[in-house]
Amino acid sequence: MAVSPIQEWEKMMQSVPKEYKQSARRFKRAIEILTAEAEPEVGLTPKEVIWKKNKAQLYRYTSKKEQVHRTPILMVYALINKPYILDLTPGNSLVEYLLERGFDVYLLDWGTPGLEDADMKLDDYILDYIPRAAKKVLKTSGASDLSILGYCMGGTMLSISAALNEELPIKNLIFMTSPFDFSDTGLYGSFLDERYFNVDKVVDTLGNVPPEMIDFGNKMLKPITNFYGPYVTLVDRSENQRFVESWKLMQKWVGDGIPFPGEAYRQWIREFYQQNKLINGELTIRGRKVDLSNIKANVLNIAASRDHIAMPHQVEALMDVISSKDKEFKLLQTGHVSVVFGPKAVKETYPSIGDWLEPRSK
């Protein structure tokens, strides 16, 4: 009678040392996670779409919790990846946390650009989308002013929009790991040096820049950690179901990139990374010079100590140029993504934002 491969494997494993059996079991479990298990659901906080423009949508989140703060908060994310990182999963969601504290929460989702959006510039997002979304929040909430939170590149864009739209009644601005000074960008500076990186050739060839290219560049900042680290850790901790659930959520978001509109990418690389125009007061948007000293709202500026994408000195530079009287720089012991997802985000980032915002939202 023929012996099946599974029976042969089980017989062989009986003579294998215990620690080897454990390693094999973990490896097998990791393979199951990677190949057989469904992707996790994300962005589960109930919401409704209250405004649309092109691919962008403005969400208003709903909650059974009583709204106790007069000033609503609008969240703005970057033009890469998807904004559900701010509402990844119940119990690990900044959106959910703020709702539980009685805030009226909104989020601007840029959507997924198509080939027809390759000509979209930063000017369009900064002058047409952010201000209109802010006005819709004010109209929907019935409030006389609002708070806006910008995460990553979303905060950089928000600072420009706030500086150019002084008539908007922005009471509070929260920037979370957003770069403002590009004079020293670490390895990015080497990757994107205009002597070696021809941004015109990239955009003219590709149109929209594919998410795989953006993701590859980010991972090359720490290649061993970013390319291999997640899978080594998965094998090592594959029998820890709580870890596995968090791992799957993060890998889903990291791999869920969107194209970067070509003309916006051209501006982002040339005028920010290569020429550092924003902090130097040389940036113009539709012919209007951007002066960050026009920002007078209350400001909370959060940096992450282990951030290699927006290093702390890039973030802190904003504090020297804005005119806000009420301004605070806060350095958290996290990374660029762990600032908003994970145990430290729940214990430190969320309360830091909520505690700062609460007395300023009356």
Side-chain angles (χ1 to χ4, degrees):
M1 182 177 178
V3 179
S4 71
I6 292 178
Q7 290 175 319
E8 290 183 355
W9 170 263
E10 291 175 345
K11 183 177 180 181
M12 180 185 71
M13 289 299 292
Q14 291 176 359
S15 60
V16 171
K18 181 180 179 181
E19 58 269 26
Y20 291 173
K21 288 182 181 179
Q22 186 179 47
S23 295
R25 189 172 65 247
R26 288 174 177 171
F27 186 78
K28 179 184 177 184
R29 174 69 184 122
I31 295 298
E32 290 173 351
I33 293 166
L34 291 169
T35 62
E37 294 192 359
E39 288 190 340
E41 293 185 87
V42 294
L44 297 178
T45 303
K47 59 184 178 292
E48 58 178 336
V49 177
I50 62 170
W51 177 79
K52 292 182 180 181
K53 180 174 173 60
N54 191 14
K55 309 296 169 49
Q57 298 185 103
L58 177 62
Y59 304 131
R60 185 185 196 183
Y61 290 91
T62 58
S63 172
K64 295 179 180 179
K65 187 77 174 182
E66 180 185 0
Q67 180 186 322
V68 297
H69 303 299
R70 181 185 60 80
T71 306
I73 178 167
L74 168 64
M75 298 183 176
V76 179
Y77 184 54
L79 295 177
I80 57 174
N81 289 97
K82 294 185 178 178
Y84 62 72
I85 186 65
L86 295 163
D87 180 36
L88 201 54
T89 190
N92 216 313
S93 161
L94 178 57
V95 168
E96 178 189 62
Y97 176 85
L98 291 174
L99 286 172
E100 284 296 307
R101 289 193 65 159
F103 289 95
D104 188 11
V105 183
Y106 301 76
L107 184 143
L108 179 56
D109 182 346
W110 300 116
T112 302
L115 294 175
E116 67 277 9
D117 299 308
D119 290 334
M120 290 283 290
K121 300 181 71 175
L122 292 178
D123 307 41
D124 302 313
Y125 296 107
I126 288 167
L127 291 179
D128 296 338
Y129 287 73
I130 294 176
R132 293 186 188 183
K135 290 174 183 177
K136 185 64 178 180
V137 168
L138 290 167
K139 183 177 180 180
T140 303
S141 65
S144 57
D145 51 29
L146 78 161
S147 303
I148 311 183
L149 178 150
Y151 176 30
C152 184
M153 178 190 179
T156 314
M157 295 165 61
L158 170 60
S159 72
I160 301 168
S161 186
L164 292 175
N165 292 279
E166 292 182 84
E167 76 285 356
L168 281 176
I170 302 174
K171 187 175 184 180
N172 306 303
L173 286 169
I174 300 171
F175 301 104
M176 191 162 63
T177 62
S178 299
F180 302 100
D181 184 355
F182 296 79
S183 58
D184 175 11
T185 56
L187 280 178
Y188 272 141
S190 300
F191 296 162
L192 301 173
D193 190 310
E194 57 189 338
R195 293 173 296 176
Y196 317 117
F197 186 80
N198 189 331
V199 67
D200 289 329
K201 184 170 288 188
V202 171
V203 175
D204 294 343
T205 301
L206 299 174
N208 290 333
V209 178
E212 293 81 6
M213 180 174 170
I214 305 295
D215 182 55
F216 182 82
N218 288 337
K219 287 179 176 176
M220 281 299 292
L221 295 176
K222 297 179 70 177
I224 301 300
T225 299
N226 292 328
F227 284 108
Y228 302 106
Y231 301 99
V232 172
T233 307
L234 175 63
V235 171
D236 187 52
R237 303 181 65 183
S238 62
E239 294 181 309
N240 182 331
Q241 189 56 33
R242 186 174 180 179
F243 167 81
V244 168
E245 290 171 359
S246 294
W247 188 92
K248 288 167 65 177
L249 284 162
M250 184 49 55
Q251 293 307 306
K252 175 178 174 60
W253 179 76
V254 168
D256 201 6
I258 60 175
F260 201 134
E263 289 305 319
Y265 180 83
R266 194 194 308 266
Q267 286 177 283
W268 182 241
I269 299 303
R270 172 169 290 142
E271 299 191 28
F272 292 78
Y273 279 93
Q274 294 180 344
Q275 298 176 351
N276 194 26
K277 287 186 175 183
L278 176 61
I279 203 72
N280 292 328
E282 300 168 354
L283 181 69
T284 58
I285 298 292
R286 286 190 190 158
R288 299 169 59 189
K289 183 165 285 190
V290 179
D291 184 354
L292 292 175
S293 69
N294 289 337
I295 295 177
K296 301 178 178 67
N298 306 323
V299 168
L300 174 63
N301 191 16
I302 297 173
S305 62
R306 300 194 303 275
D307 194 341
H308 298 276
I309 294 175
M311 294 182 287
H313 67 266
Q314 292 184 263
V315 178
E316 188 176 11
L318 178 72
M319 307 305 286
D320 294 329
V321 294
I322 58 177
S323 299
S324 307
K325 294 181 180 179
D326 181 351
K327 57 183 179 179
E328 178 182 348
F329 174 73
K330 196 171 187 69
L331 181 64
L332 299 178
Q333 303 304 307
T334 62
H336 190 74
V337 178
S338 57
V339 75
V340 75
F341 174 75
K344 283 202 171 183
V346 174
K347 293 178 182 178
E348 296 181 28
T349 308
Y350 299 177
S352 294
I353 293 172
D355 292 346
W356 183 88
L357 201 55
E358 198 166 73
R360 295 170 176 83
S361 299
K362 296 178 180 178

